[in-house]
């Protein structure tokens, strides 16, 4: 029908996206685009060009080109011969694989943290938990996800092993898209915060077994939400599972 947009057609691009994070411009463009894809501001199927990215961020094309490469490696962008670059649909297989690898890494991390964490690191985690409760009260889903990411990074910082975070960051991109879609009805914020509190309780008690068990329960939550979300929003998912 004339004038009617098909469900798989790209939507209008946002006029401006703020740069994300700190550091080099290329990193900020990457963070800004990553967040826009995860939160659905740039939904699956959206066509993007280096010119588009340059205009959205107000930067030259070089940092956009660098960001596109990293986003492709993270499974968020897809380069189609003769058809340009598009935001990929969510791959259930990649979500499940990423979760498996993330659980293996963070289970090992939290065990080490439980053995050696100090009061200063625990205070940082307590402040993070309070900020998460504040975000939940404001119904600030994007803010909560940023705090959630920071919470997990704080645990890794407690054992001074940031390369572990670099590994997780690349693996969890597809997970983050599902997690954003799961809020708040499939995975209520207060439930996720309670799971974080269980992790901190294990760390505070210096109990590696309890901390690891709590972390594994938390990271397996996405397996409960993945099916319902894929059934509710099938147009966002690839047909790979």
């Amino acid at each position: 029908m004339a004038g009617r947009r098909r469900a798989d057609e790209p939507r209008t691009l946002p006029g401006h996206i703020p740069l994300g994070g700190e550091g080099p411009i290329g990193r900020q463009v990457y963070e800004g685009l990553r967040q826009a894809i995860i939160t659905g501001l740039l939904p699956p199927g959206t066509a993007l060009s280096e010119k588009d990215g340059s205009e959205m961020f107000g930067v030259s094309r070089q940092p956009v080109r660098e960001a596109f490469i990293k986003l492709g490696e993270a499974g968020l962008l897809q380069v189609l011969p003769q058809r340009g670059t598009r935001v990929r649909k969510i791959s259930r297989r990649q979500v499940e694989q990423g979760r498996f690898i993330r659980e293996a890494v963070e289970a090992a991390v939290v065990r080490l943290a439980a053995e050696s964490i100090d009061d200063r690191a625990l205070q940082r985690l307590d402040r993070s938990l309070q900020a998460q409760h504040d975000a939940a009260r404001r119904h600030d889903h994007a803010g909560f996800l940023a705090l959630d990411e920071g919470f997990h990074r704080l645990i890794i910082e407690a054992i001074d092993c940031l390369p572990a975070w670099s590994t997780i960051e690349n693996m969890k991109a597809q997970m983050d898209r599902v997690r954003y879609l799961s809020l708040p009805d499939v995975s209520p914020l207060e439930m996720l915060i309670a799971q974080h509190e269980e992790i901190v309780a294990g760390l505070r008690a210096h109990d590696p077994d309890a901390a690891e068990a709590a972390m594994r329960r938390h990271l397996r939550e996405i397996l409960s939400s993945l099916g319902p979300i894929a059934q509710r929003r099938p147009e966002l998912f690839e047909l790979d599972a």
Side-chain angles (χ1 to χ4, degrees):
M1 180 181 298
R4 184 175 181 180
R5 184 178 64 84
R6 299 196 316 270
D8 60 348
E9 287 182 352
R11 301 177 185 177
T12 302
L13 293 174
H16 174 70
I17 297 177
L19 291 170
E22 301 176 351
I25 294 298
R27 176 70 183 184
Q28 293 187 52
V29 172
Y30 166 79
E31 292 289 352
L33 281 171
R34 185 181 185 279
Q35 184 72 0
I37 293 170
I38 287 170
T39 61
L41 183 61
L42 293 174
T46 300
L48 289 174
S49 69
E50 291 177 9
K51 180 175 181 292
D52 294 328
S54 177
E55 292 174 350
M56 284 188 290
F57 289 97
V59 298
S60 68
R61 295 191 184 188
Q62 180 59 34
V64 176
R65 185 177 304 120
E66 294 171 0
F68 276 15
I69 292 171
K70 292 188 65 177
L71 290 164
E73 292 171 350
L76 296 178
L77 289 182
Q78 181 178 27
V79 179
L80 302 171
Q82 312 302 320
R83 294 174 61 187
T85 300
R86 291 179 181 271
V87 177
R88 287 193 63 168
K89 291 188 176 183
I90 301 169
S91 165
R92 290 187 62 170
R93 181 176 295 114
Q94 288 185 15
V95 171
E96 292 164 353
Q97 291 173 344
R99 187 217 60 81
F100 176 80
I101 294 171
R102 182 177 183 181
E103 181 181 327
V105 173
E106 290 208 56
V109 164
V110 81
R111 286 193 69 87
L112 288 176
E115 295 171 354
S116 61
I117 196 164
D118 59 22
D119 289 342
R120 187 176 180 182
L122 286 168
Q123 289 169 3
R124 289 176 180 149
L125 290 169
D126 287 338
R127 288 194 293 271
S128 173
L129 290 171
Q130 183 57 57
Q132 291 170 44
H133 281 295
D134 292 342
R137 282 192 289 270
R138 297 192 307 269
H139 305 289
D140 180 3
H141 303 148
F144 172 81
L145 284 180
L147 290 165
D148 174 86
E149 183 162 307
F151 174 84
H152 287 268
R153 183 178 174 125
L154 283 172
I155 297 173
I156 290 174
E157 289 176 352
I159 65 167
D160 193 21
C161 189
L162 285 182
W165 181 254
S166 298
T167 299
I168 291 169
E169 190 174 32
N170 275 338
M171 296 305 306
K172 73 187 189 71
Q174 296 280 20
M175 288 179 65
D176 287 343
R177 299 172 84 183
V178 174
R179 291 171 63 241
Y180 187 82
L181 290 168
S182 73
L183 304 177
D185 52 336
V186 180
S187 296
L189 297 187
E190 292 295 351
M191 178 191 72
L192 298 176
I193 296 169
Q195 292 173 355
H196 285 169
E197 289 173 337
E198 289 180 358
I199 295 169
V200 173
L203 292 171
R204 196 182 309 277
H206 297 286
D207 185 337
D209 291 339
E212 178 186 352
M215 179 66 78
R216 289 186 183 276
R217 283 193 297 271
H218 176 57
L219 293 178
R220 289 174 185 176
E221 175 62 31
I222 197 169
L223 296 177
S224 300
S225 59
L226 180 57
I229 292 169
Q231 290 181 352
R232 187 174 63 188
R233 301 295 304 277
E235 73 280 5
L236 301 180
F237 287 78
E238 294 180 354
L239 299 176
D240 62 359

mmCIF file of all heavy atoms in Angstrom, residues 8-23:
data_model
loop_
_atom_site.group_PDB
_atom_site.id
_atom_site.type_symbol
_atom_site.label_atom_id
_atom_site.label_comp_id
_atom_site.label_asym_id
_atom_site.label_seq_id
_atom_site.Cartn_x
_atom_site.Cartn_y
_atom_site.Cartn_z
ATOM 1 N N ASP A 8 10.262 -4.042 8.042
ATOM 2 C CA ASP A 8 11.701 -4.250 7.965
ATOM 3 C C ASP A 8 12.430 -3.082 7.314
ATOM 4 O O ASP A 8 13.633 -3.143 7.091
ATOM 5 C CB ASP A 8 12.017 -5.546 7.197
ATOM 6 C CG ASP A 8 11.477 -5.522 5.765
ATOM 7 O OD1 ASP A 8 10.677 -4.621 5.452
ATOM 8 O OD2 ASP A 8 11.867 -6.402 4.983
ATOM 9 N N GLU A 9 11.737 -2.007 6.976
ATOM 10 C CA GLU A 9 12.393 -0.859 6.394
ATOM 11 C C GLU A 9 13.067 -0.037 7.474
ATOM 12 O O GLU A 9 12.566 0.072 8.594
ATOM 13 C CB GLU A 9 11.380 0.018 5.649
ATOM 14 C CG GLU A 9 10.899 -0.600 4.339
ATOM 15 C CD GLU A 9 9.937 0.322 3.624
ATOM 16 O OE1 GLU A 9 9.537 1.341 4.214
ATOM 17 O OE2 GLU A 9 9.593 0.027 2.477
ATOM 18 N N PRO A 10 14.259 0.549 7.168
ATOM 19 C CA PRO A 10 14.943 1.345 8.180
ATOM 20 C C PRO A 10 14.149 2.574 8.563
ATOM 21 O O PRO A 10 13.456 3.169 7.757
ATOM 22 C CB PRO A 10 16.262 1.735 7.483
ATOM 23 C CG PRO A 10 15.969 1.644 6.022
ATOM 24 C CD PRO A 10 14.975 0.521 5.886
ATOM 25 N N ARG A 11 14.243 2.951 9.833
ATOM 26 C CA ARG A 11 13.535 4.120 10.306
ATOM 27 C C ARG A 11 14.375 5.376 10.074
ATOM 28 O O ARG A 11 15.550 5.313 9.758
ATOM 29 C CB ARG A 11 13.219 3.970 11.798
ATOM 30 C CG ARG A 11 12.381 2.745 12.112
ATOM 31 C CD ARG A 11 12.168 2.614 13.606
ATOM 32 N NE ARG A 11 11.471 1.377 13.926
ATOM 33 C CZ ARG A 11 11.201 0.979 15.156
ATOM 34 N NH1 ARG A 11 11.562 1.721 16.177
ATOM 35 N NH2 ARG A 11 10.578 -0.159 15.370
ATOM 36 N N THR A 12 13.777 6.520 10.259
ATOM 37 C CA THR A 12 14.486 7.766 10.118
ATOM 38 C C THR A 12 15.612 7.843 11.133
ATOM 39 O O THR A 12 15.434 7.527 12.304
ATOM 40 C CB THR A 12 13.524 8.953 10.330
ATOM 41 O OG1 THR A 12 12.458 8.840 9.383
ATOM 42 C CG2 THR A 12 14.257 10.266 10.130
ATOM 43 N N LEU A 13 16.795 8.261 10.690
ATOM 44 C CA LEU A 13 17.931 8.362 11.587
ATOM 45 C C LEU A 13 17.758 9.531 12.547
ATOM 46 O O LEU A 13 17.203 10.559 12.179
ATOM 47 C CB LEU A 13 19.218 8.555 10.773
ATOM 48 C CG LEU A 13 19.662 7.381 9.909
ATOM 49 C CD1 LEU A 13 20.858 7.799 9.063
ATOM 50 C CD2 LEU A 13 20.013 6.185 10.766
ATOM 51 N N PRO A 14 18.241 9.359 13.781
ATOM 52 C CA PRO A 14 18.189 10.491 14.710
ATOM 53 C C PRO A 14 19.076 11.621 14.208
ATOM 54 O O PRO A 14 20.112 11.379 13.580
ATOM 55 C CB PRO A 14 18.723 9.895 16.020
ATOM 56 C CG PRO A 14 19.514 8.701 15.608
ATOM 57 C CD PRO A 14 18.851 8.158 14.372
ATOM 58 N N GLY A 15 18.676 12.845 14.474
ATOM 59 C CA GLY A 15 19.443 13.977 13.994
ATOM 60 C C GLY A 15 20.785 14.132 14.681
ATOM 61 O O GLY A 15 21.758 14.569 14.081
ATOM 62 N N HIS A 16 20.855 13.767 15.964
ATOM 63 C CA HIS A 16 22.102 13.922 16.704
ATOM 64 C C HIS A 16 22.162 12.873 17.803
ATOM 65 O O HIS A 16 21.172 12.607 18.476
ATOM 66 C CB HIS A 16 22.193 15.317 17.333
ATOM 67 C CG HIS A 16 23.386 15.488 18.219
ATOM 68 N ND1 HIS A 16 24.673 15.553 17.737
ATOM 69 C CD2 HIS A 16 23.491 15.589 19.574
ATOM 70 C CE1 HIS A 16 25.511 15.694 18.750
ATOM 71 N NE2 HIS A 16 24.825 15.712 19.866
ATOM 72 N N ILE A 17 23.343 12.286 17.975
ATOM 73 C CA ILE A 17 23.594 11.348 19.061
ATOM 74 C C ILE A 17 24.781 11.878 19.847
ATOM 75 O O ILE A 17 25.823 12.202 19.254
ATOM 76 C CB ILE A 17 23.904 9.928 18.540
ATOM 77 C CG1 ILE A 17 22.714 9.360 17.784
ATOM 78 C CG2 ILE A 17 24.278 9.000 19.695
ATOM 79 C CD1 ILE A 17 22.970 7.994 17.183
ATOM 80 N N PRO A 18 24.662 12.013 21.167
ATOM 81 C CA PRO A 18 25.799 12.523 21.939
ATOM 82 C C PRO A 18 26.948 11.525 21.953
ATOM 83 O O PRO A 18 26.743 10.309 21.903
ATOM 84 C CB PRO A 18 25.218 12.713 23.344
ATOM 85 C CG PRO A 18 24.052 11.777 23.399
ATOM 86 C CD PRO A 18 23.486 11.738 22.004
ATOM 87 N N LEU A 19 28.162 12.044 21.977
ATOM 88 C CA LEU A 19 29.327 11.186 22.112
ATOM 89 C C LEU A 19 29.248 10.450 23.438
ATOM 90 O O LEU A 19 28.725 10.964 24.422
ATOM 91 C CB LEU A 19 30.607 12.019 22.038
ATOM 92 C CG LEU A 19 30.921 12.629 20.664
ATOM 93 C CD1 LEU A 19 32.072 13.620 20.783
ATOM 94 C CD2 LEU A 19 31.252 11.556 19.644
ATOM 95 N N GLY A 20 29.765 9.218 23.460
ATOM 96 C CA GLY A 20 29.644 8.402 24.662
ATOM 97 C C GLY A 20 30.959 8.241 25.390
ATOM 98 O O GLY A 20 31.996 7.982 24.786
ATOM 99 N N GLY A 21 30.943 8.429 26.703
ATOM 100 C CA GLY A 21 32.123 8.158 27.516
ATOM 101 C C GLY A 21 33.203 9.215 27.383
ATOM 102 O O GLY A 21 32.943 10.366 27.061
ATOM 103 N N GLU A 22 34.443 8.779 27.637
ATOM 104 C CA GLU A 22 35.595 9.659 27.590
ATOM 105 C C GLU A 22 36.663 9.039 26.713
ATOM 106 O O GLU A 22 36.519 7.923 26.228
ATOM 107 C CB GLU A 22 36.143 9.885 29.010
ATOM 108 C CG GLU A 22 35.134 10.508 29.968
ATOM 109 C CD GLU A 22 35.682 10.623 31.374
ATOM 110 O OE1 GLU A 22 36.768 10.056 31.625
ATOM 111 O OE2 GLU A 22 35.030 11.269 32.203
ATOM 112 N N GLY A 23 37.749 9.787 26.510
ATOM 113 C CA GLY A 23 38.859 9.256 25.745
ATOM 114 C C GLY A 23 38.841 9.704 24.308
ATOM 115 O O GLY A 23 38.195 10.696 23.939
#
